[in-house]
Amino acid sequence: RKEVEQDPGPFNVPEGATVAFNCTYSNSASQSFFWYRQDCRKEPKLLMSVYSSGNEDGRFTAQLNRASQYISLLIRDSKLSDSATYLCVVNNFNKFYFGSGTKLNVKP
Amino acid sequence: ETGVTQSPTHLIKTRGQQVTLRCSSQSGHNTVSWYQQALGQGPQFIFQYYREEENGRGNFPPRFSGLQFPNYSSELNVNALELDDSALYLCASSAPGLDSQETQYFGPGTRLLVL
């Protein structure tokens, strides 16, 4: 079983839509969680850390459910510039596990 | 820009050769992690170096080895290259905080092609 699993998508949505991604992780002792964004042929860039209480950054909201071992990312009012691959990341005692990414295409 | 740099940007090698990739961490960061990203996949954790010592390793064979220097820059060495080693190699630097919310900042990567 993979450490981190994500739906690969692609998610094709119109501008202005709300879209949600989920990610599950296998190790209940995982310590910290992140969402990264990766554009085609570029390096991953940190989008946001994910805290147990949930956190919001503008149009982006991240949630962590430790009991069910899943992490979510909600994007509201999608922009064309949100088109990218979104990577879920889990830290297990200094080993960082990435999901394979969920591809988002936002269309005009 | 993250301030993390990697060299070279692209590299072509043949099977059986050895390769060394280099990474300079962001100023103030004492931890460097290396990842392998195959096409269409997420980055796979190779290992992490903290203050010149290996501080965590993923499921990669011993022919993947590394070093970290006193200035916190790092090298990834791969011996006996195989075709499947063709990938984007990413380095990420971080400065672990007290609350373990360790945020990693990635360099642009080195694209390795093994023929």
Side-chain angles (χ1 to χ4, degrees):
Chain A
R1 185 184 171 188
K2 288 186 180 179
E3 293 280 344
V4 180
E5 302 217 42
Q6 290 183 253
D7 180 344
F11 284 57
N12 298 307
V13 303
E15 269 186 294
T18 295
V19 61
F21 307 137
N22 290 325
C23 160
T24 57
Y25 61 95
S26 61
N27 189 337
S28 60
S30 297
Q31 299 164 298
S32 53
F33 310 87
F34 308 88
W35 283 101
Y36 277 73
R37 168 198 170 122
Q38 187 171 29
D39 293 291
C40 189
R41 300 186 71 78
K42 297 285 190 180
E43 72 274 21
K45 292 190 191 311
L46 178 68
L47 183 64
M48 56 199 305
S49 300
V50 187
Y51 301 105
S52 297
S53 54
N55 47 301
E56 187 173 309
D57 182 3
R59 298 181 293 108
F60 299 86
T61 300
Q63 297 274 355
L64 167 64
N65 184 320
R66 283 191 181 269
S68 301
Q69 293 178 214
Y70 82 77
I71 306 150
S72 64
L73 177 68
L74 183 77
I75 305 175
R76 290 181 297 279
D77 188 24
S78 299
K79 311 289 185 195
L80 296 176
S81 57
D82 294 334
S83 296
T85 296
Y86 291 83
L87 297 159
C88 171
V89 186
V90 172
N91 174 9
N92 296 340
F93 302 98
N94 297 324
K95 295 184 183 180
F96 290 79
Y97 295 95
F98 281 71
S100 55
T102 299
K103 189 168 174 57
L104 172 65
N105 295 316
V106 181
K107 301 188 180 297
Chain B
E1 295 296 327
T2 63
V4 181
T5 61
Q6 290 186 245
S7 63
T9 55
H10 296 80
L11 201 51
I12 300 175
K13 291 284 190 179
T14 56
R15 260 188 316 177
Q17 285 189 308
Q18 179 265 342
V19 68
T20 297
L21 310 181
R22 296 179 175 82
C23 171
S24 292
S25 58
Q26 185 172 327
S27 176
H29 286 184
N30 56 16
T31 301
V32 172
S33 302
W34 284 93
Y35 295 85
Q36 179 195 69
Q37 186 173 24
L39 203 59
Q41 300 294 316
Q44 299 294 306
F45 177 68
I46 303 175
F47 42 55
Q48 180 182 85
Y49 278 83
Y50 171 66
R51 294 186 175 179
E52 302 179 60
E53 297 284 335
E54 189 177 288
N55 185 42
R57 188 177 181 96
N59 294 325
F60 279 81
R63 60 190 185 85
F64 285 79
S65 63
L67 283 174
Q68 187 178 32
F69 300 100
N71 66 354
Y72 303 132
S73 66
S74 178
E75 285 183 357
L76 164 65
N77 298 293
V78 187
N79 293 323
L81 283 167
E82 300 177 0
L83 297 180
D84 285 349
D85 295 334
S86 296
L88 176 67
Y89 288 84
L90 293 159
C91 134
S93 78
S94 57
L98 294 175
D99 64 356
S100 82
Q101 280 292 115
E102 181 180 336
T103 301
Q104 300 199 325
Y105 297 91
F106 284 83
T110 294
R111 292 194 181 277
L112 173 64
L113 177 61
V114 182
L115 301 175

